Amino acid sequence: FNTESVLFRESERLDLGLWLKHLVRDRGPTPSIAAALFCCVLILIVQFFMSLSLGEPQSFGAFAEMVFISQVVVIAMPALMMTLFLTRSPRQTLLLKNVPSAMAIPAAVALAVGLHPVVQALGAMVQVLYPMSDDVIRYSQKFQAFLVSSPYPWIALLLVAVLPAICEELAFRGFILSGLRHIGHKWWAIGISALFFGVVHPVMQQSLMAVMVGLVIGYLAVQTGSLLPCMLFHMTHNGLMLISARLSIPAEIYDRHPQLNL
């Protein structure tokens, strides 16, 4: 017949358009396992190319722009777009459908406060086992200087605590965890989502701590059925870490930034 098309049935041909229509037409209330894993991979790919294009910030404005892009564009946007196109119930997918109990919100905040010394101790242990390289220490001190030299303290709090709490929770405890729960065992879903949550943190020491914290937040999401306690836990945790960093600024940072010595 002078054509290879006769060798394949119509159903065996790869048609990207038909595949996308199938995904949209047959989408469920929450994402599939494959969609959740694809979202993780997509976030990592976008993060890689964004890191190449953004470079190292040289001012607080550039630092704030980098944090905004890394949270909103890299993490939140892929999860939200996939939620809209690949699920029939965005509120159920993002754990925004159920109202948490009256005790869940203060309990999440209290849990973050209570675990803060434990997280600090584990962080110190990780530093002993896996010391940071000189380059990582230099980058960390530079970013720390940007945060504490913010013209308004609430801007640093917004960048470090509020924005990540919203964007990262929508992605990892919202879309990704909802899809992974189709595995059938909650701890597998919590563990895999926490693992990917740690991988998106570029520094290895920070990544290890993020996995541990991700396990706690994932369990909180499963038990409460709502994303709000997770966001409040995340916000409180990051806020306390920011305060601890502000109180333990090395002397060399003060020497490089005299305006901080108030």
Side-chain angles (χ1 to χ4, degrees), residues 100-128:
S101 63
M103 290 300 299
I105 293 177
V109 175
L111 181 62
V113 174
L115 287 179
H116 179 67
V118 179
V119 174
Q120 290 282 78
L122 290 175
M125 188 182 303
V126 170
Q127 293 282 0
V128 173

Short mmCIF file of all heavy atoms in Angstrom, two decimals, residues 100-128:
data_model
loop_
_atom_site.label_atom_id
_atom_site.label_comp_id
_atom_site.label_asym_id
_atom_site.label_seq_id
_atom_site.Cartn_x
_atom_site.Cartn_y
_atom_site.Cartn_z
N PRO A 100 -10.98 22.66 58.76
CA PRO A 100 -10.35 21.96 59.88
C PRO A 100 -11.08 22.22 61.18
O PRO A 100 -11.80 23.21 61.33
CB PRO A 100 -8.93 22.55 59.90
CG PRO A 100 -9.08 23.90 59.28
CD PRO A 100 -10.16 23.75 58.23
N SER A 101 -10.90 21.33 62.12
CA SER A 101 -11.53 21.49 63.43
C SER A 101 -10.96 22.71 64.15
O SER A 101 -9.89 23.22 63.81
CB SER A 101 -11.32 20.24 64.27
OG SER A 101 -9.94 20.04 64.54
N ALA A 102 -11.68 23.16 65.16
CA ALA A 102 -11.26 24.36 65.89
C ALA A 102 -9.91 24.18 66.57
O ALA A 102 -9.15 25.14 66.73
CB ALA A 102 -12.32 24.73 66.92
N MET A 103 -9.59 22.95 66.95
CA MET A 103 -8.34 22.70 67.65
C MET A 103 -7.18 22.44 66.70
O MET A 103 -6.01 22.49 67.12
CB MET A 103 -8.50 21.49 68.59
CG MET A 103 -9.38 21.76 69.78
SD MET A 103 -8.76 23.11 70.82
CE MET A 103 -7.16 22.45 71.30
N ALA A 104 -7.47 22.17 65.44
CA ALA A 104 -6.40 21.82 64.50
C ALA A 104 -5.45 22.98 64.25
O ALA A 104 -4.23 22.80 64.14
CB ALA A 104 -7.00 21.34 63.18
N ILE A 105 -6.00 24.20 64.16
CA ILE A 105 -5.16 25.36 63.84
C ILE A 105 -4.20 25.70 64.98
O ILE A 105 -2.98 25.78 64.77
CB ILE A 105 -6.05 26.56 63.47
CG1 ILE A 105 -6.78 26.26 62.15
CG2 ILE A 105 -5.23 27.82 63.36
CD1 ILE A 105 -7.74 27.35 61.73
N PRO A 106 -4.70 25.91 66.23
CA PRO A 106 -3.74 26.17 67.31
C PRO A 106 -2.81 24.99 67.58
O PRO A 106 -1.65 25.19 67.97
CB PRO A 106 -4.62 26.47 68.52
CG PRO A 106 -5.95 25.89 68.20
CD PRO A 106 -6.09 25.98 66.72
N ALA A 107 -3.30 23.78 67.34
CA ALA A 107 -2.45 22.60 67.55
C ALA A 107 -1.29 22.58 66.55
O ALA A 107 -0.16 22.21 66.90
CB ALA A 107 -3.28 21.33 67.43
N ALA A 108 -1.56 22.99 65.29
CA ALA A 108 -0.49 23.03 64.28
C ALA A 108 0.57 24.05 64.65
O ALA A 108 1.78 23.79 64.52
CB ALA A 108 -1.10 23.35 62.91
N VAL A 109 0.14 25.22 65.12
CA VAL A 109 1.09 26.25 65.53
C VAL A 109 1.89 25.77 66.75
O VAL A 109 3.12 25.94 66.81
CB VAL A 109 0.36 27.57 65.83
CG1 VAL A 109 1.32 28.61 66.37
CG2 VAL A 109 -0.34 28.08 64.58
N ALA A 110 1.20 25.19 67.72
CA ALA A 110 1.89 24.71 68.93
C ALA A 110 2.87 23.59 68.59
O ALA A 110 3.95 23.50 69.18
CB ALA A 110 0.86 24.21 69.94
N LEU A 111 2.50 22.74 67.63
CA LEU A 111 3.39 21.66 67.22
C LEU A 111 4.67 22.21 66.59
O LEU A 111 5.77 21.72 66.85
CB LEU A 111 2.67 20.74 66.24
CG LEU A 111 3.46 19.53 65.72
CD1 LEU A 111 3.82 18.60 66.87
CD2 LEU A 111 2.64 18.77 64.66
N ALA A 112 4.52 23.25 65.76
CA ALA A 112 5.69 23.87 65.15
C ALA A 112 6.60 24.49 66.20
O ALA A 112 7.83 24.38 66.13
CB ALA A 112 5.25 24.92 64.13
N VAL A 113 6.00 25.15 67.19
CA VAL A 113 6.79 25.76 68.25
C VAL A 113 7.47 24.68 69.10
O VAL A 113 8.66 24.80 69.45
CB VAL A 113 5.90 26.65 69.14
CG1 VAL A 113 6.68 27.18 70.33
CG2 VAL A 113 5.33 27.82 68.33
N GLY A 114 6.74 23.63 69.42
CA GLY A 114 7.31 22.57 70.24
C GLY A 114 8.43 21.80 69.55
O GLY A 114 9.39 21.37 70.20
N LEU A 115 8.32 21.63 68.23
CA LEU A 115 9.34 20.89 67.50
C LEU A 115 10.54 21.74 67.11
O LEU A 115 11.54 21.20 66.62
CB LEU A 115 8.72 20.28 66.23
CG LEU A 115 7.78 19.10 66.41
CD1 LEU A 115 7.24 18.63 65.06
CD2 LEU A 115 8.48 17.94 67.12
N HIS A 116 10.44 23.06 67.30
CA HIS A 116 11.54 23.92 66.87
C HIS A 116 12.87 23.56 67.53
O HIS A 116 13.89 23.46 66.82
CB HIS A 116 11.18 25.39 67.16
CG HIS A 116 12.26 26.35 66.78
ND1 HIS A 116 12.63 26.59 65.47
CD2 HIS A 116 13.06 27.13 67.56
CE1 HIS A 116 13.61 27.47 65.45
NE2 HIS A 116 13.89 27.82 66.69
N PRO A 117 12.93 23.35 68.85
CA PRO A 117 14.22 22.95 69.43
C PRO A 117 14.72 21.62 68.89
O PRO A 117 15.93 21.43 68.72
CB PRO A 117 13.92 22.86 70.94
CG PRO A 117 12.69 23.68 71.13
CD PRO A 117 11.90 23.53 69.88
N VAL A 118 13.81 20.70 68.62
CA VAL A 118 14.21 19.40 68.07
C VAL A 118 14.80 19.57 66.67
O VAL A 118 15.83 18.98 66.33
CB VAL A 118 13.00 18.44 68.03
CG1 VAL A 118 13.40 17.10 67.42
CG2 VAL A 118 12.41 18.25 69.41
N VAL A 119 14.14 20.40 65.86
CA VAL A 119 14.64 20.65 64.51
C VAL A 119 16.00 21.34 64.56
O VAL A 119 16.90 21.02 63.77
CB VAL A 119 13.62 21.51 63.72
CG1 VAL A 119 14.19 21.91 62.36
CG2 VAL A 119 12.31 20.75 63.53
N GLN A 120 16.17 22.27 65.49
CA GLN A 120 17.45 22.95 65.63
C GLN A 120 18.55 21.96 66.02
O GLN A 120 19.67 22.02 65.49
CB GLN A 120 17.34 24.03 66.71
CG GLN A 120 16.48 25.22 66.32
CD GLN A 120 17.21 26.18 65.39
OE1 GLN A 120 17.35 25.92 64.20
NE2 GLN A 120 17.68 27.28 65.93
N ALA A 121 18.23 21.04 66.92
CA ALA A 121 19.22 20.05 67.35
C ALA A 121 19.57 19.10 66.20
O ALA A 121 20.74 18.76 65.99
CB ALA A 121 18.68 19.28 68.55
N LEU A 122 18.56 18.66 65.47
CA LEU A 122 18.81 17.79 64.32
C LEU A 122 19.62 18.52 63.25
O LEU A 122 20.49 17.92 62.60
CB LEU A 122 17.48 17.30 63.74
CG LEU A 122 16.70 16.30 64.59
CD1 LEU A 122 15.35 15.99 63.95
CD2 LEU A 122 17.50 15.01 64.78
N GLY A 123 19.32 19.81 63.07
CA GLY A 123 20.08 20.59 62.09
C GLY A 123 21.56 20.68 62.47
O GLY A 123 22.44 20.57 61.61
N ALA A 124 21.82 20.88 63.75
CA ALA A 124 23.20 20.92 64.22
C ALA A 124 23.89 19.57 64.03
O ALA A 124 25.08 19.50 63.67
CB ALA A 124 23.24 21.34 65.69
N MET A 125 23.14 18.49 64.25
CA MET A 125 23.70 17.16 64.06
C MET A 125 24.03 16.91 62.59
O MET A 125 25.09 16.34 62.26
CB MET A 125 22.70 16.10 64.56
CG MET A 125 23.25 14.68 64.58
SD MET A 125 21.98 13.51 65.14
CE MET A 125 21.58 14.22 66.75
N VAL A 126 23.15 17.34 61.70
CA VAL A 126 23.40 17.20 60.26
C VAL A 126 24.64 17.98 59.86
O VAL A 126 25.46 17.54 59.04
CB VAL A 126 22.17 17.66 59.46
CG1 VAL A 126 22.50 17.76 57.97
CG2 VAL A 126 21.02 16.70 59.66
N GLN A 127 24.82 19.19 60.44
CA GLN A 127 25.99 20.00 60.14
C GLN A 127 27.27 19.31 60.56
O GLN A 127 28.32 19.43 59.89
CB GLN A 127 25.88 21.35 60.84
CG GLN A 127 24.77 22.24 60.34
CD GLN A 127 25.12 22.92 59.03
OE1 GLN A 127 26.21 22.73 58.50
NE2 GLN A 127 24.22 23.70 58.51
N VAL A 128 27.22 18.57 61.67
CA VAL A 128 28.41 17.85 62.14
C VAL A 128 28.71 16.67 61.23
O VAL A 128 29.86 16.41 60.86
CB VAL A 128 28.21 17.38 63.60
CG1 VAL A 128 29.36 16.47 64.03
CG2 VAL A 128 28.10 18.57 64.53
#
